[in-house]
Amino acid sequence: MNCLRTTCTNARHELTSALFDLSEPSVDISSTEVGVPTSSIDVSKTFCPRPRIPCIAAKVFFTAWVIAMMVLSIEQSQFESFWLAYLTHWGWTVTVAYFLFSLGTACYLSKCELPNGVDRSSGALVKVTWGLFAIALPGEVIICLLFWFLEFDGTVQYVSLMLHGIGILLLAIDGFLINRIPLRIKQFFLFEAFAASYLIWNIIFSFSGLGNPYRESGAQDDDAIYSSLRWKTNTASAVTTAVLVLLVANPILFLLCRSVSRLPPRRLVTIETKSGEIELGLSQNIGETAEVGQ
C-alpha cells in the first residue's frame, strides 16, 4: 500500500511540476507546508560526482567511443549522404550529443562549486544534458527492439551491434550509475516529439520522389527507408506500425526507463523552501542545507 501511495505521489508531483524540476516529494506531498524540508537533487553530485577525475575520465572514454562508432558507421555506409535518413542514426546522433554535453557539464561543475547544488548559470547546460538523456536512452531501446524484431537480416557486425544494443549499456552506465539522472514523466513528451519528428520525415521522404539510393543500386526493391514503413505500397501496415510505436511501445518503454532511473540512490540535499518545490536554474538561499545523500 505504501509503495502504491509513493508511486502515485511521485507521478502526481512530476506531472504538476516543471519539466526539469529538482525537488523530490515527501511521501504525502499534499501535506507539504511552509518550512517543511523538501529533498532536492544535488546538481553537482548528480552530474559530476566525486571522485571527479575517474568520473570525467570515464566520460571522456565513453564520448570518444560513441564518436568513433559514428565515424566508423558513416565510413562503412555505401551512401554517406543517406546515412542520416535512418532512425538508428538519428538516435545515435542524439546519443553522441548526450555524451558530449554530459562530459561538458561534468567539466563545468568540477570547476564551479554550486551552493546547495543549485546555481543559475549552470541551469541551461544541465537542462540540455538531462533532456538529451530523456530522449537518447528510451530512443536507443526502441531502436534496438525495432531493429532486431523487424529489420535484422541475420548478419551480425560490430558497428551494428554497437548501434543496436551496446549503446544502451553505455547510456545506462553514464546516466544511472555515474550521473544518477532521474527521468520525469513529463520528459516523455521530449522522447515522443523525437519519435514523431522522425515519422514525419519518413513520410515526407516516401512521397517526395527523392528516391532511395539503395534501390537504385539494386540493394533493395523499394524507395522506403525501412521495409516495415512502406507508406506508398503498404500504407495500412506502415500506419499500424507507427501507431503501435507512438502510442503503445514508446510510453511503456519510457515508463520502464523511468522506473529503472529511480532504483539507484539519489544524491540529494534537504532544503526548506516556501513552496516546497525547487526548480532548476534558481539559486536557493532559504533555510539551512544538510546533505542527505552521497
Side-chain angles (χ1 to χ4, degrees):
M1 187 66 180
N2 287 336
C3 181
L4 179 61
R5 183 183 181 186
T6 300
T7 300
C8 292
T9 296
N10 289 331
R12 180 175 59 184
H13 175 68
E14 291 179 19
L15 288 171
T16 56
S17 300
L19 189 64
F20 299 104
D21 182 58
L22 289 176
S23 61
E24 291 291 322
S26 58
V27 175
D28 185 6
I29 194 170
S30 63
S31 66
T32 302
E33 299 176 353
V34 175
V36 175
T38 301
S39 295
S40 166
I41 294 171
D42 187 316
V43 173
S44 293
K45 292 181 178 178
T46 296
F47 290 88
C48 185
R50 295 179 183 275
R52 284 175 174 167
I53 292 179
C55 164
I56 293 176
K59 290 178 180 294
V60 169
F61 175 74
F62 288 157
T63 303
W65 196 356
V66 296
I67 291 175
M69 287 304 100
M70 172 181 275
V71 172
L72 191 58
S73 176
I74 295 173
E75 288 181 347
Q76 291 183 358
S77 176
Q78 185 178 354
F79 301 98
E80 295 181 0
S81 61
F82 201 65
W83 184 84
L84 204 53
Y86 293 93
L87 178 60
T88 293
H89 303 146
W90 277 43
W92 200 255
T93 300
V94 175
T95 295
V96 169
Y98 163 73
F99 278 105
L100 286 170
F101 273 93
S102 178
L103 175 60
T105 301
C107 291
Y108 175 84
L109 294 176
S110 68
K111 297 296 183 180
C112 304
E113 197 68 33
L114 307 183
N116 299 343
V118 183
D119 181 73
R120 185 187 303 275
S121 61
S122 69
L125 193 58
V126 172
K127 283 179 180 179
V128 172
T129 303
W130 200 343
L132 287 171
F133 183 70
I135 297 172
L137 181 66
E140 287 297 334
V141 173
I142 190 66
I143 288 169
C144 177
L145 293 176
L146 290 173
F147 172 77
W148 292 107
F149 284 102
L150 297 180
E151 298 293 331
F152 180 58
D153 60 4
T155 304
V156 179
Q157 298 179 343
Y158 171 66
V159 173
S160 180
L161 190 61
M162 276 295 305
L163 271 57
H164 301 101
I166 304 301
I168 299 173
L169 181 60
L170 298 182
L171 283 165
I173 292 173
D174 187 81
F176 292 153
L177 299 183
I178 297 178
N179 280 356
R180 305 288 175 87
I181 301 176
L183 294 179
R184 305 301 197 194
I185 292 177
K186 270 188 175 180
Q187 292 168 358
F188 165 72
F189 296 106
L190 297 175
F191 169 49
E192 193 76 340
F194 168 78
S197 296
Y198 181 79
L199 278 175
I200 292 172
W201 147 250
N202 196 285
I203 294 171
I204 291 174
F205 176 84
S206 295
F207 292 96
S208 67
L210 292 174
N212 188 329
Y214 286 95
R215 180 185 183 182
E216 296 172 3
S217 68
Q220 62 185 56
D221 59 0
D222 192 278
D223 275 334
I225 298 174
Y226 287 106
S227 60
S228 55
L229 292 175
R230 299 190 179 195
W231 298 98
K232 293 172 68 176
T233 59
N234 197 349
T235 307
S237 176
V239 170
T240 300
T241 300
V243 170
L244 287 176
V245 169
L246 284 177
L247 302 183
V248 180
N250 281 2
I252 292 174
L253 291 175
F254 185 87
L255 290 176
L256 178 62
C257 291
R258 173 190 172 271
S259 298
V260 174
S261 78
R262 302 192 66 85
L263 294 178
R266 306 291 177 86
R267 299 182 179 116
L268 307 173
V269 290
T270 297
I271 301 178
E272 293 184 11
T273 67
K274 292 182 179 180
S275 65
E277 185 173 300
I278 304 164
E279 290 195 13
L280 188 59
L282 299 179
S283 298
Q284 304 295 327
N285 299 311
I286 310 171
E288 296 181 4
T289 304
E291 273 188 34
V292 296
Q294 182 64 24

